[in-house]
Amino acid sequence: MTSPAELIVTTSWDDGHRLDPRLAELLDRYRVPGTFYIAPRNIEFDPADRLPAAGIRELATRHEIGGHTLTHPRLPLIADRAAREDIRAGKIELEDMIGDAIESFCYPRGEYDERHTAMVRDCGFALARTVRRHTLNPGKPFESGTTVNAYAHRVDGLVALRMARFRPRATSRLFRHWDDLAKAWFDTFLEQGGVFHLWGHSWEVDARGDWERLERVLDYIGNRPGVRYVTNGELAGAGV
Ligand SMILES: [Zn+2]
């Protein structure tokens, strides 16, 4: 367990898109490490949009590479044997590319049940991230939660209300802008301690024209004294 005073920041970026290196450059600028969850043969991307092996190897020199299955299937909708094989094959392909073991995993679309947590553990991963948000306590290692997604979710209304201490104008700002919500969460994190986990997708940041928003958030959360910056895998190692 994390002691209340401990301050840990981690980030993760899903899918393995050709825009991931642009996102990694921003992380580097503010000295925030990232875990890039990559499905090397993601069927949801045009092959030209996938991050090629050379790009994955380059990312691996500065950030963590994590498993995200081979093809990005919706795990609960496919047979157990196919799910197990896709999880395993994705891990092997990435390990062959980067010449190193990978230990963190992320469920495609955050969809999984207890069969898949067992498969991921049996496959040799040490941690699995979900898409659960609004927490400073990641919880169980194979159902690790996050704090803020770099994307405006309409369902954030209640959270925005709470974070803005029920002041209407502040609430509407947090409701509309994920970067303001991220900063409000970061302020809470500085008061309470725990794990601040920001995650997203480079292709989504790009599609929404959110690069400047993301940079503002990284500028806000990076380079803070007393804060420990870790990859998702190092979270598992830290026993939190
Ligand atoms: Zn994904």
Side-chain angles (χ1 to χ4, degrees):
M1 282 297 291
T2 315
S3 68
E6 195 169 15
L7 296 165
I8 296 176
V9 166
T10 192
T11 73
S12 52
W13 309 98
D14 300 3
D15 290 347
H17 192 273
R18 61 178 169 76
L19 290 169
D20 285 358
R22 178 171 176 187
L23 205 146
E25 267 176 42
L26 270 190
L27 294 175
D28 294 340
R29 191 174 306 160
Y30 297 97
R31 297 199 202 140
V32 175
T35 296
F36 287 82
Y37 290 110
I38 295 176
R41 299 190 212 175
N42 193 335
I43 49 172
E44 296 183 356
F45 285 158
D46 184 303
D49 283 335
R50 294 177 191 154
L51 184 64
I56 295 172
R57 273 194 287 275
E58 211 280 320
L59 265 191
T61 62
R62 296 165 0 254
H63 296 280
E64 179 186 18
I65 303 298
H68 197 38
T69 73
L70 183 67
T71 64
H72 208 268
R74 302 178 69 172
L75 292 173
L77 303 187
I78 62 176
D80 286 0
R81 192 198 291 186
R84 191 176 296 109
E85 181 51 27
D86 214 290
I87 292 167
R88 197 182 66 86
K91 184 172 193 280
I92 290 171
E93 187 149 318
L94 289 174
E95 289 178 340
D96 283 349
M97 274 180 201
I98 67 173
D100 202 358
I102 60 173
E103 57 179 1
S104 305
F105 179 81
C106 174
Y107 305 100
R109 296 170 177 237
E111 295 178 353
Y112 69 97
D113 60 38
E114 66 277 3
R115 292 171 301 168
H116 309 111
T117 53
M119 287 174 198
V120 169
R121 187 187 302 114
D122 294 346
C123 200
F125 289 103
L127 170 137
R129 202 214 72 204
T130 66
V131 293
R132 188 163 56 88
R133 292 174 285 128
H134 313 311
T135 182
L136 297 172
N137 176 4
K140 299 179 194 166
F142 288 92
E143 294 181 77
S144 188
T146 73
T147 314
V148 180
N149 179 211
Y151 181 77
H153 289 264
R154 292 213 176 151
V155 292
D156 279 357
L158 254 183
V159 174
L161 206 59
R162 218 168 56 224
M163 297 301 291
R165 300 190 165 99
F166 298 93
R167 288 166 301 169
R169 281 187 54 204
T171 300
S172 94
R173 190 167 50 80
L174 297 186
F175 180 67
R176 282 180 293 126
H177 301 302
W178 65 263
D179 53 330
D180 289 326
L181 183 66
K183 289 181 190 173
W185 263 113
F186 195 79
D187 292 342
T188 302
F189 156 79
L190 290 178
E191 285 169 21
Q192 299 182 0
V195 177
F196 178 90
H197 189 153
L198 172 72
W199 69 283
H201 305 87
S202 63
W203 56 267
E204 204 165 59
V205 169
D206 195 66
R208 298 177 62 88
D210 272 353
W211 289 106
E212 286 179 15
R213 237 180 248 290
L214 176 62
E215 179 154 13
R216 282 199 295 274
V217 171
L218 293 174
D219 188 20
Y220 196 73
I221 71 174
N223 287 311
R224 296 277 193 145
V227 174
R228 197 146 62 93
Y229 295 88
V230 303
T231 61
N232 287 194
E234 287 165 341
L235 262 190
V240 293

